[in-house]
Amino acid sequence: MPDALELDALWEDFHRVVNMTSQELAAWLRVRDAEENAEPLPDEAGTTTGQHVLAILQKRRGDLTDDDVRVMYTVVDTVTAQADLENEPRAEDTRGRRRLMTIGHDPLKP
């Protein structure tokens, strides 16, 4: 577990890059995994990382685990690396947008 200052910085960075609310992310994960004749259970929708991000969004900073911190670093690094590759999000890049949305970042959201 990082020290308090590093954890504060990570918490801020994570909540800066995860710009979808927990409700928006949960809905996206369900829609993403829905099939023509079935919709997954809410607890089973989406990727493992997406579910973990959703759980982190519902926690207080003091309740974070080492796994939470690892996922937070991964999400911040992933979104930051993607932002470095693309100066501005493009609506036509739906594949990249959908991939980022599974971890709680909608590049088209202001």
Side-chain angles (χ1 to χ4, degrees):
M1 188 71 85
D3 65 30
L5 288 176
E6 189 176 345
L7 186 58
D8 286 346
L10 176 60
W11 181 262
E12 294 299 320
D13 287 344
F14 177 80
H15 283 88
R16 178 181 47 80
V17 301
V18 176
N19 62 359
M20 296 170 70
T21 66
S22 58
Q23 294 86 4
E24 290 170 332
L25 178 56
W28 169 251
L29 293 175
R30 284 191 309 273
V31 166
R32 181 187 165 275
D33 281 2
E35 297 175 5
E36 186 175 321
N37 297 320
E39 183 175 322
L41 295 172
D43 295 349
E44 298 173 3
T47 63
T48 303
T49 304
Q51 283 293 326
H52 205 139
V53 168
L54 186 57
I56 292 168
L57 289 174
Q58 297 168 347
K59 289 185 175 187
R60 295 176 299 182
R61 188 180 338 203
D63 296 333
L64 296 174
T65 65
D66 288 337
D67 274 349
D68 295 337
V69 170
R70 180 187 51 77
V71 168
M72 290 169 72
Y73 275 120
T74 299
V75 169
V76 169
D77 290 347
T78 301
V79 173
T80 302
Q82 187 67 31
D84 289 345
L85 292 175
E86 300 177 7
N87 291 334
E88 292 185 25
R90 297 181 311 268
E92 65 272 8
D93 183 18
T94 57
R95 185 170 166 231
R97 179 177 181 228
R98 289 178 181 181
R99 186 177 62 251
L100 288 172
M101 287 175 67
T102 63
I103 58 172
H105 178 77
D106 184 350
L108 298 181
K109 190 173 182 181

